[in-house]
Amino acid sequence: MPGAAAVPGARTSKPMKRLLYLILITGTLALAAGKIEVTADKLQDQIRGGLLGHIIGDLNGLKHENKYFAEPGNVQSYVPELPEGAWTDDDTDVEWIYILEMQRANTLLIAPPRIAELWKRHINRRIWCSHLYLRQILDIGIEPPLTGSVHLNPWAEFNLSAQFVSESWGHIAPGMPRTAARIGTHYLHVSIDGEPIQSTQLFAAMIATAFVTGDIDKIVDAGVAATDPKSDMHKIVLDVRKWHRQNPQDWRATRKLIQQTWSVGNRTADINGVKLNGASAVAALLYGQGDFVETVRHAFNFGFDADNNAATAGAIVGVIKGHKWMMGQGWNIKDVFRNTSRDNMPMDETITSFGDRLIALAERVITEHGGAKITKSGKTVYRIQTEDAANIERLPDPGRQFTALEAKLKPEIEKAIASDAATPQQQARAAYLAICLDLAPKLKQTYPQQWAKAIEALSGYSKLMQALFFQASTPAGDKLREKAVAAGLRKPEKREKFS
């Protein structure tokens, strides 16, 4: 009878014994109506395991990064290690900045103007591709999510940050793949849009799902459900599963099919894009079969941006295995998270304290999404309202997107160009947006003197000029440079190094 008190001396039925045994061993109890109960010890162990798997895959994978393109790698054996501890890398430290601010501001979704401030204060070096580019257009007053628009950022249509800034959102939304995807898309629109947003939803959902099942196929199912069926990322995962079934013992055959089928024909976009890398991360999970070492080793060998793929796959298996299991393998792991790249950020972080932050945020996500933190039989337990995975952001139509953006921004662009009171930053912003949105020819003709001043103001942002003319070797970058030159911008005389 529900709620009945235990009778002293009463015998426990066999089904009840099995239930108690299950809770004791797994730390998880499934309830009705999509709810589960997980002991705090179990959930925290999973979060810490996911973080450690993420970090190990990233940092152990750096020596394989961009090394294997035409042919796969040949790593025969591998032992995870961090003998000097971890250090900041863009696969982990962009999320780290957001996580600290989420704690400080007591919010899960930081407002875009504040995100812009965080980037300016903390992210000024050791950034590449879309991150490097968006950092420069922030300086002329373009804020998120415009910084991640495919029409303003020439990296945004394919960039891999969609995947390598996705893991933490799964860690803080255990069992809630839709919530993980919503948080992820909020932060990833800073740097990407279009197809890459499907990648963010794919991997955030997979990591969130790994908290409630260790079955790799079910985890991949969640990723498929999280993507738009019309997207390439959806089709890519289906292809990889098919090729794995056809070649269960031959990962090289699958790798060859991935490259032949899903290469976009541009090496930069291939190595730095979500398609080959996303396929490789999923393939590593399928061939790794839940074994952490084998999963990460396969991610190395599939190549392309191998550290990223090892980080994502490692995060998923790390959640499944848990921190205690990982630390019990005899691997040399030092509890350090050394800040080597982010300005005005803590210098005394550890892997443990990073994990503490994720755990605190996960508790907030759980309680804000229908769950609770309770005490049962003297133990702290999280009651989680679980979710089925589903696509929460469809693939947009680029043409309609462009038309809508042009209509929205045209009045303020023209106002800034025509006004003699506009600041140099406002002029630069207006000129850049006009070039991107094909408004430059008419504005140049209508306001010739003011346009010349706006172009001069834009030219004064030397780092943006470097990024535009030397750091955007993409098809979209080529088109943007043509429009920029036609509008009156000049290519800098020499290429400068970014820190």
Side-chain angles (χ1 to χ4, degrees), residues 324-337:
K324 292 175 185 175
W325 178 89
M326 295 175 76
M327 294 304 291
Q329 301 308 298
W331 303 333
N332 186 3
I333 308 292
K334 187 176 181 181
D335 187 18
V336 170
F337 188 74

Side-chain angles (χ1 to χ4, degrees), residues 29 126 159 161 179 194 202 230 232 240 279 284 287 306 312-313 376 384 410-411 414 421 453 462 492:
L29 171 63
R126 294 197 62 75
N159 183 248
S161 60
T179 297
L202 169 72
K230 295 181 180 179
D232 283 346
V240 172
Y287 282 99
T312 304
K376 242 184 178 181
I384 301 173
K410 183 177 179 180
E414 185 165 6
K453 289 181 180 179
S462 60

